[in-house]
Amino acid sequence: MNNAVLEPSLSPAAGTAVKRRMSFWRFARRYPSVVVGGLIVLIMVLIALFAPVLAHYDPTRPLSDGLSQMGAPLPPNHKYWLGTDTEGRDVFSRVLYGARVSLEVGFFAGLISLFIGALLGIISGYFGGWVDMVIMRLTDMVLAFPFLLFVVALVAVMKPSVTNVFIAIGVFGWAQMARIIRGQVLAVKELEYVQAARSLGASAWNIIFKEVLPNVITPVVIYLTLAIGQNILLEASLSFLGFGVQPPEPSWGNMIQEGMAYFQLAPWLIYAPGLMLLITTIGFNLLGDGLRDWLDPKVGR
Amino acid sequence: MEGLWKKGLAALSSTAVAVALLAGCGGGSTNNATSNSTGTNAGTPQKGGTINIDINDDVAHFDPAVAYDQGSWEFVWGNIYNQLLKYKPQTTDLEPDLATSMPEISSDGLTYTFHIKKGIKFSNGDPVTAQSFVDEFKRILTPSVQSPAVGFIDPAIQGADDFYKGKTKELTGVVAKDDYTLVIKLTKPQTFFTKVLAMPFFSPVDEKYIQSIGGDKAFDHKPMGTGPFMMQSYTPGKGFVLVRNPNYYDSSKPYLDEIDVHVNSNQESTALSFEQGNTALMDDYTQQIPAQYYLKWSAQSQYSSLLKKQPYMGIEYVGLNTQVAPFNNKLVRQAVEYAINKDNAVKLANGRGQVTNEILPPGIQGYVQQLGGQDDVNYKYDPNKAKQLLKESGVTNLNVTMIVRNRAPLTQIAQSIQADLNAVGFHVTLKQVGESDYLSQAESGKAQFGLYGWFADFPDPYDFLDVLFNSNQAPINNWANYKNPTVDKELQQAATMPDGPERYKLYDKIQDQILDDAAWVPLYNPVNTTIHQSWVNNYYTSPVMEDPLADLWVSKH
Amino acid sequence: MASYILRRFIGALVVLFGISVITFIIAYAAPGDPARLIVGAKAPQTVVDAVRHNLGLDQPLPIQYIHYIGRLLHGDLGFSYHNNLPVAELIGQRIGNTVQLALASWIVEVILGLPLGIFGALYHRRTADYILSFLTLVGMSMPVFWFGMWLIQNVAYGLGILPLGGVGGISHLILPAITLGVTNMAFYQRLVKSSMVDVMSQDYIRTARANGVPAHRVVTRHALKNGLIPAVTYAGMDIAQLCGGVVLTETVFNYQGVGQLAWQSIENLDFPVIMATVLIAAVFVVVMNFIVDIVYSLIDPRISLS
């Protein structure tokens, strides 16, 4: 899915290309996406880390004065900066804690995809033949699946929890990664010095570790950055459908889901987590795009 | 997001039925037609007109033998089909419908004889005979029909078990003596049997028609019965059209020519359509009024006068599995009773519920409002007492998992309960489940506890106390896994003894015992909130039946 | 060539087979007992057992799978557990709606994505490019359901001009199509931009421009033509995926399509419908993949040799 966009089209030598030193300001002017995206990601990471310090209230505990007499959420006020939710909890505190879940799921799901994808991609590309064919058919299978349905079904079977959500996302997100890495491996294999090393009898693992891996690191970093953004959105979608992070644990997705019942009366319930989600995903996408521009000489010319 | 009692598979929310708030009376034979009629019934009823109704989800079943959920009963019960007996509007009293009179019951309480009105026809013109009823009993007892009603008549009716197991082709307990006489024989007396027969399962069906359209599966979507309405067209996922049945035996009804029913999973858009004057009515049987519209309309005079609230003959409760740690300890269960703030639950439902301390809901005979018993079982919110009981119990592992349906306001209420319990020393994990998963988890007998719901199939304490607490119902319906030999014996006695004060006294005693054992924390009786257009007349809510579609009429607007 | 087509065809079949097996296993492992769900909570255990037996659910998984595939090959998708309707009919009622929405969304994606991509290429690395790229990035980064909700609240409800949801005519298509179009336009924008930037830096284009050929002619004559090729191939896959149903958008807009059906069937544990909807979505993608492969190999014979 979305392969056209996520696949960084890298020339094999990109990772080893030596970058000229330039001043930060020149760099920022030339690659604003890297700087802006990186900054957003950094801020979100800090929010996630320092949520307990920044939050005024327990994100999971209903406040005794958190609901109106009729049981409606309270609008933003000087005490509850972003108002309260349907349960009478402080939305500001919940939004901060929500960053933890989003980043956690995005990152770990990305790592799992990376691990499986890298392993299968390298094996497939390096050894070729029937191994390659089997792995590539498996990849086709995963890519042909209605991804969201699949993850929902898997989470349903495993019971929803933060851990299971990122496992499910990771386990079905590897196919793209495997394709990219396989492509890199095929290209690297053709390089003259690798050919030479092979003809001199270097072992397969030796070549993979010494020659192939260094060459795939760049596309992997770029891909991982973009994938984290996608995973964060996916977690929100799962939570929105009720199969993600379980209440009272706040996740931006389940906050939006709970807020939907009050979208006219209490729009802050969907705007606050929605904007955080949007900004975070933009951050990762900017960073990923920027890294590609910066590190990939072909597109960046 | 979803309708309060979402459809289908949730058979436990089956007959969510509205209850008139009967001031100071134990339900039963009351006639308070004035207290809950809409007050907008001006003029004499006029025939004609079409109304639009939205429903939250496709109607699961139109086959009366299979339909067993609120969404299906809305249209099957009393609208497309009718039965031997029905409830008088706004009461829990039975009166004859297709029967000429109430049944003759033999002195041993085992034989029921019904005389059927002559000249009744199906909407396609075929005549209705006693055999039409026998056919339906046989369909229910045919495994391939997959009727959930088997438990109501097997083994209660003679020969039902043999027929179900395929040992005989004849159902000895249900016999058409002649075209207009139906005789039903029971294996043992059952005080509430007429109420069982009034459920829509036992509608007459036209076997010839069923065969002609291709059998039972097809019949589930091409219904044809004796009711005031008949189905004109049906598009799965989109809706259906009901029109007047020209062969209906009461020529004065229905008033409406046509009802257009639209499937709309988006409650907000139904509410908007109501504001635009298009949708005729909203209630928990069709499309629940969404919380924000309920709050908004309550504050606007042109709508607030049309809003009505009627408590259901049902209950939301916390069921504690009495066979699984830590709730196999009575002190721990009692601690839970004291730890939960029930007012919060009702607040989270925007006040659409009323706090209760007992199992039976208001409107049902046997409801007492204030429980008796030696120990006080009207538990009050008292977190300190809860902590003390937990300490006394000596139980240290208080990590528990609570099941809750994935739907507002239940998930919100569950979180409030979670916070209450955590405050006294529990560590509660919530498990939000879909409607179908909910059933299988709860009835597995392994779930520790959950936020459950139950709604009357028919207005009798049996349907709550026996079905939910008899040890022979564990764990399928008795989700608390409650097992008490004394209670079992008393339940058996109450099911067969003649109706009267003695019977209700016994049920009262049973209730006190169960609550003293703290198998449940009763939370609240939900309230059906309804709204209807000012030009829709004669709209009322009944304790047992669903919306009175055949009684509605529209004035010029 | 023929052997290449045959190989690809067998590959496609293998993929479909694998998908059916995996779906079957996951559905089988799902919590909940279909038989109990069919008859409801109050039915006695004997009824449940009888139903389970009738449906063949008491047989071992491989046998059940073989029976399922056997029926499938005869075109029999079975009956819904939830409401007894034939699955084929349920899907037949909805597939038209989904295809309509797919095409409408695709049109919006292209209408927005192509011009943005072209402008991006023309103003590459200039302020306009950054602004446009950022806008598409915002679209791509938005949660679909959130944007859909936003449109419902501000356009359908706020302005009161479009329906809040449901199907029936073009007016019902507009908001869901915009939702999908805006969140997916980035793909076309990026493809067109990057391939056009590529083409425009080629020597012959540079020469043409240096010789005073007006920019718009260079764009229409050369750059656009070449720049569109990857977008066209992506379009095939894109439409296939949209036709398989879009769960979130259809759910938010109460749009009666295959995606909504798939989602409802998961909620209801309506096993035959889950199987059918997943398979149909997969068939769209696999078939489209197959076609794209074959067309590619016809255009560029070198591919079939690899």
Side-chain angles (χ1 to χ4, degrees), chain A residues 155-224:
Chain A
V155 172
V157 171
M158 297 194 302
K159 291 162 57 160
S161 75
V162 179
T163 319
N164 286 343
V165 166
F166 68 64
I167 290 177
I169 296 177
V171 161
F172 282 99
W174 58 267
Q176 211 51 57
M177 183 71 83
R179 278 195 171 178
I180 295 164
I181 292 177
R182 173 177 174 270
Q184 291 291 314
V185 173
L186 286 178
V188 170
K189 228 165 66 173
E190 299 308 313
L191 293 177
E192 274 174 34
Y193 64 93
V194 179
Q195 297 272 20
R198 285 178 80 177
S199 62
L200 287 176
S203 80
W205 291 113
N206 209 355
I207 292 176
I208 287 173
F209 277 104
K210 286 225 174 107
E211 312 296 343
V212 176
L213 272 186
N215 275 302
V216 298
I217 282 174
T218 310
V220 159
V221 167
I222 294 169
Y223 178 80
L224 189 64

Coordinates of all heavy atoms in Angstrom, one line a residue, chain A residues 155-224:
Chain A
V155 N -6.0 -7.9 16.3 CA -6.1 -7.3 17.6 C -7.3 -8.0 18.4 O -7.2 -8.3 19.5 CB -6.2 -5.8 17.6 CG1 -6.5 -5.2 18.9 CG2 -5.0 -5.2 17.0
A156 N -8.4 -8.2 17.6 CA -9.5 -8.8 18.3 C -9.2 -10.1 18.8 O -9.6 -10.5 19.9 CB -10.7 -8.9 17.3
V157 N -8.4 -10.9 18.1 CA -8.1 -12.2 18.5 C -7.1 -12.2 19.7 O -7.2 -12.9 20.7 CB -7.4 -13.0 17.4 CG1 -6.8 -14.3 17.9 CG2 -8.4 -13.3 16.3
M158 N -6.2 -11.2 19.7 CA -5.2 -11.2 20.7 C -5.6 -10.4 22.0 O -4.8 -10.3 22.9 CB -3.9 -10.5 20.2 CG -3.2 -11.3 19.0 SD -1.6 -10.7 18.7 CE -1.8 -9.0 18.4
K159 N -6.7 -9.7 22.0 CA -7.1 -8.8 23.0 C -6.4 -7.5 22.8 O -5.2 -7.4 22.8 CB -6.8 -9.3 24.4 CG -7.6 -10.5 24.9 CD -7.0 -11.1 26.1 CE -6.7 -10.3 27.3 NZ -6.6 -11.1 28.5
P160 N -7.2 -6.4 22.8 CA -6.6 -5.1 22.6 C -5.8 -4.6 23.8 O -6.2 -4.8 24.9 CB -7.8 -4.1 22.5 CG -9.0 -5.0 22.3 CD -8.7 -6.3 22.9
S161 N -4.6 -4.2 23.5 CA -3.7 -3.6 24.5 C -2.6 -2.9 23.8 O -2.4 -3.1 22.6 CB -3.1 -4.6 25.5 OG -2.1 -5.3 24.8
V162 N -1.9 -2.0 24.4 CA -0.9 -1.2 23.7 C 0.1 -2.2 23.0 O 0.4 -2.0 21.8 CB -0.1 -0.3 24.7 CG1 1.0 0.5 23.9 CG2 -1.1 0.7 25.3
T163 N 0.6 -3.1 23.8 CA 1.6 -4.1 23.2 C 1.0 -4.8 22.0 O 1.6 -4.9 20.9 CB 2.0 -5.1 24.3 OG1 2.1 -4.4 25.5 CG2 3.2 -5.8 23.9
N164 N -0.2 -5.3 22.1 CA -0.8 -6.1 21.0 C -1.0 -5.2 19.8 O -0.9 -5.7 18.7 CB -2.1 -6.8 21.5 CG -1.7 -8.0 22.4 OD1 -0.6 -8.5 22.4 ND2 -2.7 -8.5 23.1
V165 N -1.4 -4.0 20.1 CA -1.6 -3.1 18.9 C -0.3 -2.9 18.1 O -0.3 -3.0 16.9 CB -2.2 -1.7 19.4 CG1 -2.1 -0.7 18.3 CG2 -3.6 -1.9 19.9
F166 N 0.8 -2.6 18.8 CA 2.0 -2.4 18.0 C 2.5 -3.7 17.4 O 3.1 -3.7 16.3 CB 3.0 -1.5 18.7 CG 3.8 -2.1 19.9 CD1 4.6 -3.1 19.8 CD2 3.7 -1.4 21.1 CE1 5.3 -3.6 20.9 CE2 4.4 -1.8 22.2 CZ 5.2 -2.9 22.1
I167 N 2.3 -4.8 18.1 CA 2.7 -6.1 17.5 C 1.9 -6.3 16.2 O 2.4 -6.6 15.1 CB 2.5 -7.3 18.4 CG1 3.5 -7.2 19.6 CG2 2.6 -8.6 17.7 CD1 3.3 -8.2 20.6
A168 N 0.5 -6.1 16.3 CA -0.3 -6.4 15.1 C 0.1 -5.4 13.9 O 0.2 -5.9 12.8 CB -1.8 -6.2 15.4
I169 N 0.3 -4.2 14.2 CA 0.7 -3.2 13.2 C 2.0 -3.6 12.6 O 2.2 -3.7 11.4 CB 0.7 -1.8 13.7 CG1 -0.7 -1.4 14.1 CG2 1.2 -0.8 12.6 CD1 -0.8 0.0 14.7
G170 N 2.9 -3.9 13.5 CA 4.3 -4.3 13.0 C 4.3 -5.5 12.2 O 5.0 -5.6 11.1
V171 N 3.6 -6.5 12.6 CA 3.6 -7.8 11.9 C 3.1 -7.7 10.5 O 3.5 -8.5 9.6 CB 2.8 -8.9 12.8 CG1 2.4 -10.1 11.9 CG2 3.6 -9.3 14.0
F172 N 2.1 -6.8 10.3 CA 1.6 -6.7 8.9 C 2.2 -5.5 8.2 O 1.8 -5.2 7.0 CB 0.1 -6.6 8.9 CG -0.4 -8.0 9.1 CD1 -0.8 -8.4 10.4 CD2 -0.4 -8.9 8.1 CE1 -1.3 -9.7 10.6 CE2 -0.9 -10.2 8.3 CZ -1.3 -10.6 9.5
G173 N 3.2 -4.8 8.8 CA 3.7 -3.6 8.1 C 5.1 -3.9 7.5 O 5.7 -2.9 6.9
W174 N 5.5 -5.1 7.5 CA 6.9 -5.3 7.1 C 7.1 -5.5 5.6 O 8.2 -5.3 5.1 CB 7.5 -6.6 7.7 CG 6.6 -7.8 7.4 CD1 5.6 -8.3 8.2 CD2 6.7 -8.7 6.3 NE1 5.1 -9.4 7.5 CE2 5.7 -9.6 6.4 CE3 7.6 -8.7 5.1 CZ2 5.6 -10.6 5.4 CZ3 7.4 -9.7 4.2 CH2 6.4 -10.6 4.3
A175 N 6.0 -5.7 4.9 CA 6.1 -6.1 3.5 C 6.8 -5.0 2.6 O 7.7 -5.3 1.8 CB 4.7 -6.4 2.9
Q176 N 6.4 -3.8 2.9 CA 7.0 -2.6 2.2 C 8.5 -2.6 2.4 O 9.3 -2.4 1.5 CB 6.3 -1.4 2.7 CG 6.3 -0.3 1.7 CD 5.7 -0.8 0.4 OE1 4.5 -1.3 0.4 NE2 6.4 -0.7 -0.7
M177 N 8.9 -2.7 3.7 CA 10.3 -2.7 4.1 C 11.0 -3.8 3.4 O 12.2 -3.6 2.9 CB 10.3 -2.9 5.6 CG 11.7 -2.8 6.2 SD 12.3 -1.1 6.2 CE 11.6 -0.4 7.6
A178 N 10.5 -5.0 3.4 CA 11.2 -6.1 2.7 C 11.4 -5.8 1.3 O 12.5 -6.1 0.7 CB 10.3 -7.4 2.9
R179 N 10.5 -5.2 0.6 CA 10.6 -4.9 -0.8 C 11.8 -3.9 -1.0 O 12.6 -4.1 -1.9 CB 9.4 -4.3 -1.4 CG 8.4 -5.4 -1.8 CD 7.3 -4.7 -2.7 NE 6.4 -5.8 -3.2 CZ 5.4 -5.5 -4.0 NH1 5.1 -4.3 -4.3 NH2 4.7 -6.5 -4.5
I180 N 11.8 -2.9 -0.2 CA 12.8 -1.8 -0.4 C 14.2 -2.4 -0.2 O 15.1 -2.2 -1.0 CB 12.6 -0.7 0.6 CG1 11.2 0.0 0.3 CG2 13.7 0.3 0.6 CD1 10.8 0.9 1.5
I181 N 14.3 -3.2 0.9 CA 15.6 -3.7 1.2 C 16.1 -4.7 0.2 O 17.2 -4.7 -0.2 CB 15.6 -4.3 2.6 CG1 15.4 -3.1 3.6 CG2 16.9 -5.1 2.9 CD1 15.3 -3.5 5.0
R182 N 15.1 -5.5 -0.3 CA 15.5 -6.5 -1.3 C 16.0 -5.7 -2.5 O 17.1 -6.1 -3.1 CB 14.3 -7.3 -1.7 CG 14.5 -8.2 -2.9 CD 13.2 -9.0 -3.2 NE 13.3 -9.8 -4.4 CZ 13.0 -9.3 -5.6 NH1 12.5 -8.1 -5.7 NH2 13.1 -10.1 -6.7
G183 N 15.4 -4.6 -2.9 CA 15.8 -3.9 -4.1 C 17.3 -3.4 -3.8 O 18.1 -3.5 -4.7
Q184 N 17.5 -2.9 -2.6 CA 18.9 -2.4 -2.3 C 19.9 -3.5 -2.4 O 21.0 -3.3 -3.0 CB 18.9 -1.8 -0.9 CG 18.1 -0.5 -0.7 CD 18.7 0.6 -1.4 OE1 19.9 0.8 -1.3 NE2 18.0 1.4 -2.2
V185 N 19.5 -4.6 -1.9 CA 20.5 -5.8 -1.8 C 20.8 -6.2 -3.3 O 22.0 -6.4 -3.6 CB 19.9 -7.0 -1.1 CG1 20.8 -8.2 -1.2 CG2 19.7 -6.6 0.4
L186 N 19.7 -6.2 -4.1 CA 20.0 -6.6 -5.5 C 21.0 -5.7 -6.2 O 21.9 -6.1 -6.9 CB 18.7 -6.6 -6.3 CG 17.7 -7.8 -6.0 CD1 16.4 -7.6 -6.8 CD2 18.4 -9.1 -6.3
A187 N 20.8 -4.4 -5.9 CA 21.7 -3.4 -6.5 C 23.1 -3.5 -6.0 O 24.1 -3.5 -6.7 CB 21.1 -2.0 -6.3
V188 N 23.2 -3.7 -4.7 CA 24.5 -3.8 -4.1 C 25.3 -5.0 -4.6 O 26.5 -5.0 -4.8 CB 24.4 -3.8 -2.5 CG1 25.7 -4.2 -1.9 CG2 23.9 -2.5 -2.0
K189 N 24.5 -6.1 -4.8 CA 25.1 -7.3 -5.2 C 25.8 -7.1 -6.5 O 26.8 -7.8 -6.8 CB 24.0 -8.4 -5.4 CG 24.3 -9.7 -4.7 CD 23.1 -10.6 -4.5 CE 22.5 -11.0 -5.9 NZ 21.4 -12.0 -5.7
E190 N 25.3 -6.2 -7.4 CA 25.9 -6.0 -8.7 C 27.1 -5.2 -8.7 O 27.8 -5.1 -9.7 CB 24.8 -5.4 -9.6 CG 23.6 -6.3 -9.8 CD 23.9 -7.7 -10.2 OE1 24.7 -7.9 -11.1 OE2 23.4 -8.7 -9.6
L191 N 27.3 -4.5 -7.6 CA 28.5 -3.6 -7.5 C 29.8 -4.4 -7.7 O 29.9 -5.5 -7.2 CB 28.6 -2.8 -6.2 CG 27.4 -1.8 -5.9 CD1 27.5 -1.2 -4.6 CD2 27.4 -0.8 -7.0
E192 N 30.7 -3.8 -8.4 CA 31.9 -4.5 -8.8 C 32.7 -5.1 -7.6 O 33.1 -6.2 -7.6 CB 32.9 -3.6 -9.6 CG 32.5 -3.6 -11.1 CD 33.3 -2.6 -11.9 OE1 34.5 -2.5 -11.5 OE2 32.7 -2.0 -12.8
Y193 N 32.9 -4.2 -6.6 CA 33.7 -4.7 -5.5 C 33.0 -5.8 -4.7 O 33.7 -6.7 -4.1 CB 34.2 -3.6 -4.6 CG 33.1 -2.9 -3.8 CD1 32.8 -3.2 -2.6 CD2 32.5 -1.8 -4.4 CE1 31.8 -2.6 -1.9 CE2 31.5 -1.1 -3.7 CZ 31.1 -1.5 -2.4 OH 30.2 -0.8 -1.8
V194 N 31.7 -5.8 -4.7 CA 31.0 -6.9 -4.1 C 31.1 -8.2 -4.9 O 31.4 -9.3 -4.4 CB 29.5 -6.5 -3.9 CG1 28.8 -7.7 -3.2 CG2 29.4 -5.3 -3.0
Q195 N 31.0 -8.0 -6.2 CA 31.2 -9.2 -7.1 C 32.6 -9.8 -6.8 O 32.7 -11.0 -6.8 CB 31.1 -8.7 -8.5 CG 29.7 -8.2 -8.9 CD 28.8 -9.3 -9.4 OE1 29.0 -10.5 -9.1 NE2 27.8 -8.9 -10.1
A196 N 33.5 -8.9 -6.7 CA 34.9 -9.3 -6.5 C 35.0 -10.1 -5.2 O 35.6 -11.2 -5.2 CB 35.8 -8.1 -6.5
A197 N 34.4 -9.5 -4.2 CA 34.5 -10.2 -2.9 C 33.9 -11.6 -2.9 O 34.4 -12.5 -2.4 CB 33.8 -9.3 -1.8
R198 N 32.8 -11.7 -3.7 CA 32.1 -13.0 -3.8 C 33.0 -13.9 -4.5 O 33.2 -15.1 -4.1 CB 30.8 -12.8 -4.5 CG 29.7 -12.2 -3.6 CD 28.5 -12.0 -4.4 NE 27.7 -13.3 -4.5 CZ 26.5 -13.3 -5.0 NH1 26.0 -12.3 -5.6 NH2 25.9 -14.5 -5.0
S199 N 33.6 -13.5 -5.6 CA 34.4 -14.4 -6.4 C 35.7 -14.8 -5.6 O 36.2 -15.9 -5.8 CB 34.8 -13.8 -7.7 OG 35.6 -12.6 -7.5
L200 N 36.1 -14.0 -4.6 CA 37.2 -14.3 -3.8 C 36.8 -15.3 -2.7 O 37.6 -15.6 -1.8 CB 37.9 -13.1 -3.2 CG 38.6 -12.3 -4.2 CD1 39.2 -11.0 -3.6 CD2 39.8 -13.1 -4.8
G201 N 35.5 -15.6 -2.6 CA 35.1 -16.6 -1.7 C 34.6 -16.1 -0.3 O 34.6 -16.8 0.7
A202 N 34.3 -14.8 -0.2 CA 33.8 -14.3 1.0 C 32.5 -14.9 1.3 O 31.7 -15.2 0.4 CB 33.7 -12.8 1.0
S203 N 32.3 -15.2 2.6 CA 31.0 -15.9 3.0 C 29.8 -15.0 2.8 O 30.0 -13.7 2.8 CB 31.1 -16.4 4.4 OG 30.8 -15.3 5.3
A204 N 28.6 -15.6 2.7 CA 27.4 -14.8 2.4 C 27.2 -13.8 3.6 O 26.9 -12.6 3.4 CB 26.2 -15.7 2.3
W205 N 27.3 -14.3 4.8 CA 27.0 -13.4 6.0 C 28.1 -12.3 6.1 O 27.7 -11.2 6.4 CB 27.0 -14.2 7.2 CG 25.8 -15.1 7.2 CD1 25.7 -16.5 7.2 CD2 24.4 -14.7 7.2 NE1 24.4 -16.9 7.1 CE2 23.6 -15.8 7.2 CE3 23.8 -13.4 7.2 CZ2 22.2 -15.8 7.1 CZ3 22.4 -13.4 7.2 CH2 21.6 -14.5 7.2
N206 N 29.3 -12.6 5.7 CA 30.3 -11.6 5.7 C 29.9 -10.5 4.8 O 30.0 -9.3 5.1 CB 31.6 -12.3 5.2 CG 32.8 -11.6 5.8 OD1 32.6 -10.6 6.5 ND2 34.0 -12.1 5.6
I207 N 29.5 -10.9 3.6 CA 29.2 -9.8 2.6 C 28.0 -9.1 3.1 O 27.9 -7.8 3.0 CB 28.9 -10.5 1.2 CG1 30.3 -11.0 0.7 CG2 28.3 -9.5 0.2 CD1 30.1 -11.8 -0.6
I208 N 27.0 -9.8 3.6 CA 25.8 -9.1 4.0 C 26.1 -8.1 5.1 O 25.7 -6.9 5.0 CB 24.7 -10.1 4.6 CG1 24.1 -10.9 3.4 CG2 23.6 -9.4 5.4 CD1 23.2 -12.0 3.8
F209 N 26.9 -8.5 6.1 CA 27.2 -7.5 7.2 C 28.2 -6.4 6.7 O 28.0 -5.3 7.1 CB 27.8 -8.3 8.4 CG 26.7 -8.9 9.2 CD1 26.4 -10.2 9.2 CD2 26.0 -8.1 10.1 CE1 25.4 -10.8 10.0 CE2 24.9 -8.6 10.9 CZ 24.7 -9.9 10.8
K210 N 29.1 -6.8 5.9 CA 30.2 -5.8 5.6 C 29.8 -4.9 4.5 O 30.1 -3.7 4.5 CB 31.5 -6.5 5.2 CG 32.2 -7.1 6.4 CD 33.7 -6.8 6.4 CE 34.4 -7.2 7.7 NZ 35.2 -8.4 7.4
E211 N 29.1 -5.4 3.5 CA 28.8 -4.6 2.3 C 27.3 -4.2 2.2 O 27.0 -3.1 1.8 CB 29.2 -5.4 1.0 CG 30.5 -6.1 1.0 CD 31.7 -5.0 1.1 OE1 31.4 -3.9 0.8 OE2 32.8 -5.4 1.5
V212 N 26.4 -5.1 2.5 CA 25.0 -4.9 2.2 C 24.4 -4.0 3.3 O 23.9 -2.9 3.0 CB 24.2 -6.2 2.1 CG1 22.8 -5.9 1.9 CG2 24.7 -7.0 0.9
L213 N 24.6 -4.3 4.5 CA 24.0 -3.6 5.6 C 24.3 -2.1 5.6 O 23.4 -1.3 5.7 CB 24.3 -4.2 7.0 CG 23.4 -5.3 7.4 CD1 23.7 -5.8 8.8 CD2 21.9 -4.9 7.3
P214 N 25.5 -1.7 5.5 CA 25.8 -0.3 5.5 C 25.1 0.5 4.4 O 24.7 1.6 4.5 CB 27.3 -0.2 5.3 CG 27.9 -1.6 5.7 CD 26.8 -2.5 5.4
N215 N 24.9 -0.3 3.3 CA 24.2 0.4 2.2 C 22.7 0.5 2.3 O 22.1 1.3 1.6 CB 24.5 -0.4 0.9 CG 25.8 0.0 0.3 OD1 26.0 1.2 0.0 ND2 26.8 -0.9 0.2
V216 N 22.1 -0.3 3.2 CA 20.7 -0.1 3.3 C 20.3 0.7 4.5 O 19.1 1.0 4.7 CB 20.0 -1.5 3.4 CG1 20.2 -2.3 2.2 CG2 20.4 -2.2 4.7
I217 N 21.2 1.2 5.3 CA 20.9 1.9 6.5 C 20.1 3.2 6.1 O 19.1 3.5 6.7 CB 22.1 2.2 7.3 CG1 22.4 1.0 8.1 CG2 21.8 3.4 8.3 CD1 23.7 1.0 8.9
T218 N 20.6 3.9 5.1 CA 19.9 5.2 4.8 C 18.4 5.0 4.4 O 17.6 5.6 5.0 CB 20.7 5.9 3.7 OG1 22.0 5.9 4.0 CG2 20.1 7.3 3.5
P219 N 18.1 4.2 3.4 CA 16.7 4.0 3.1 C 15.9 3.5 4.3 O 14.8 3.9 4.4 CB 16.7 3.0 2.0 CG 18.0 2.3 2.0 CD 19.0 3.4 2.5
V220 N 16.5 2.7 5.1 CA 15.8 2.2 6.3 C 15.4 3.3 7.2 O 14.3 3.4 7.7 CB 16.6 1.1 7.0 CG1 16.2 0.9 8.4 CG2 16.6 -0.2 6.2
V221 N 16.4 4.2 7.5 CA 16.1 5.3 8.4 C 14.9 6.2 7.8 O 14.0 6.5 8.5 CB 17.3 6.1 8.6 CG1 17.0 7.5 9.3 CG2 18.3 5.4 9.4
I222 N 15.0 6.4 6.5 CA 14.0 7.3 5.9 C 12.6 6.5 6.0 O 11.6 7.1 6.4 CB 14.3 7.5 4.4 CG1 15.6 8.4 4.4 CG2 13.2 8.2 3.7 CD1 16.2 8.5 3.0
Y223 N 12.7 5.3 5.6 CA 11.4 4.5 5.6 C 10.8 4.5 7.1 O 9.6 4.6 7.3 CB 11.6 3.1 5.1 CG 10.3 2.4 5.1 CD1 9.4 2.6 4.1 CD2 10.1 1.5 6.1 CE1 8.2 1.9 4.2 CE2 8.9 0.8 6.2 CZ 7.9 1.0 5.2 OH 6.7 0.4 5.3
L224 N 11.7 4.2 8.0 CA 11.2 4.1 9.4 C 10.5 5.4 9.9 O 9.5 5.3 10.5 CB 12.4 3.7 10.3 CG 12.1 3.4 11.7 CD1 11.3 2.1 11.7 CD2 13.3 3.2 12.6

